[in-house]
Amino acid sequence: MKLHILGCGDAFGSGGRNNSGYLIEAGDRLFLLDCGPTTLLAMKRAGFDSRRLDAVFLSHLHGDHFGGLAFFFLDDLYENPRARPLRVAGPAGTEEKTRALFQLMYGGLSGAKKLPPVVFEVLEPEVPKTILGIEVLPFRVPHQVEEISLGLKIAYQGKQLLYSGDSAWTDLFVTHARGVDLFLCECCFFDRETANHMSYQKIEQNLSRLECRRMILTHMGEEMLARRGEVTLELAEDGMVIEI
């Protein structure tokens, strides 16, 4: 299993980084964790044919995490038609918001624009699901109040990856990180504490409790980037390829 970090930035483009997009290459499968607006261009720049993409797993429905789907749909319709449907799985509301986004961006006044072949699936917190042989355990994390944000534990062909999505600290990360090959964890801030994002200080306080084999911090804001020289943990960079 290989993780291609297509984008590890936040919604503000901090550090000039691409939006969230993490491509997993595993055996005969190619799938994304989140799909920010810069994901398609980063995927093509990395040399991947968009038609190979099997599935997209969404942690939540903020624009910097799912807004890139519209560009994949456009590419599917006009440049690189797919031979099989793309599977898109995310929290409740994923299909409705994705369809609405595509119509807003590329629809006409005369009627709804038809999507290319796509199958939407709902990820419910604490309900395991298998999609194309990829096992996913979604769990709710503290990022939004009215809508659901998910952490995602992914398993395929004997490898396990934990992705925090966007989240403040929760002890669920201790539970789900146990034994995983890689924990990809958001870290917006260095020592600033908020109710919806993580700080390096909070991660450091809980580091001894995390029994994962490897941890990489991602989704860093300007404060975190400015102080990365003080950080001892591994930091994500756009274009990184990680063997899991």
Side-chain angles (χ1 to χ4, degrees), residues 176-202:
H176 293 302
R178 192 170 296 121
V180 301
D181 297 285
L182 176 65
F183 180 13
L184 186 62
C185 184
E186 83 114 277
C187 187
C188 278
F189 308 114
F190 186 85
D191 56 13
R192 178 181 164 194
E193 297 295 331
T194 71
N196 57 356
H197 281 291
M198 203 95 66
S199 73
Y200 177 68
Q201 187 175 65
K202 180 64 74 172

Side-chain angles (χ1 to χ4, degrees), residues 3-8 20-24 33-34 139 150-152 160-167 173 177 180-187 198 203 210 212 214-220 234-237 240 242 244:
L3 166 63
H4 300 260
I5 298 182
L6 303 180
C8 62
S20 296
Y22 307 96
L23 186 68
I24 309 295
L33 303 180
D34 282 342
F139 56 98
L150 298 171
L152 301 172
Q160 290 186 315
L161 183 152
L162 179 63
Y163 174 47
S164 68
D166 279 9
S167 176
F173 293 137
V180 301
D181 297 285
L182 176 65
F183 180 13
L184 186 62
C185 184
E186 83 114 277
C187 187
M198 203 95 66
I203 293 169
L210 294 170
C212 50
R214 186 176 180 182
M215 186 176 191
I216 297 178
L217 305 184
T218 189
H219 203 274
M220 292 168 282
E234 192 172 359
L235 304 180
E237 298 284 350
M240 281 178 69
I242 298 153
I244 300 174

Side-chain angles (χ1 to χ4, degrees), residues 127-148:
V127 179
K129 196 156 195 172
T130 300
I131 297 174
L132 300 176
I134 304 158
E135 298 173 28
V136 56
L137 174 60
F139 56 98
R140 190 164 189 175
V141 296
H143 180 57
Q144 299 179 92
V145 176
E146 294 182 0
E147 295 188 43
I148 292 175

Side-chain angles (χ1 to χ4, degrees), residues 54-147:
D54 295 302
V56 180
F57 297 94
L58 299 174
S59 65
H60 65 295
L61 301 175
H62 282 162
D64 57 314
H65 289 261
F66 93 109
L69 284 172
F71 300 109
F72 277 89
F73 293 157
L74 196 70
D75 190 59
D76 293 346
L77 284 172
Y78 298 111
E79 292 291 326
N80 296 295
R82 300 178 59 85
R84 63 195 187 288
L86 179 67
R87 306 287 284 270
V88 177
T94 291
E95 179 171 1
E96 295 80 3
K97 280 201 169 186
T98 301
R99 288 184 181 277
L101 177 68
F102 188 61
Q103 297 311 315
L104 179 65
M105 292 177 69
Y106 291 110
L109 297 176
S110 59
K113 193 176 191 68
K114 187 178 179 181
L115 266 63
V118 57
V119 175
F120 291 98
E121 307 214 28
V122 176
L123 298 178
E124 299 179 11
E126 306 300 340
V127 179
K129 196 156 195 172
T130 300
I131 297 174
L132 300 176
I134 304 158
E135 298 173 28
V136 56
L137 174 60
F139 56 98
R140 190 164 189 175
V141 296
H143 180 57
Q144 299 179 92
V145 176
E146 294 182 0
E147 295 188 43

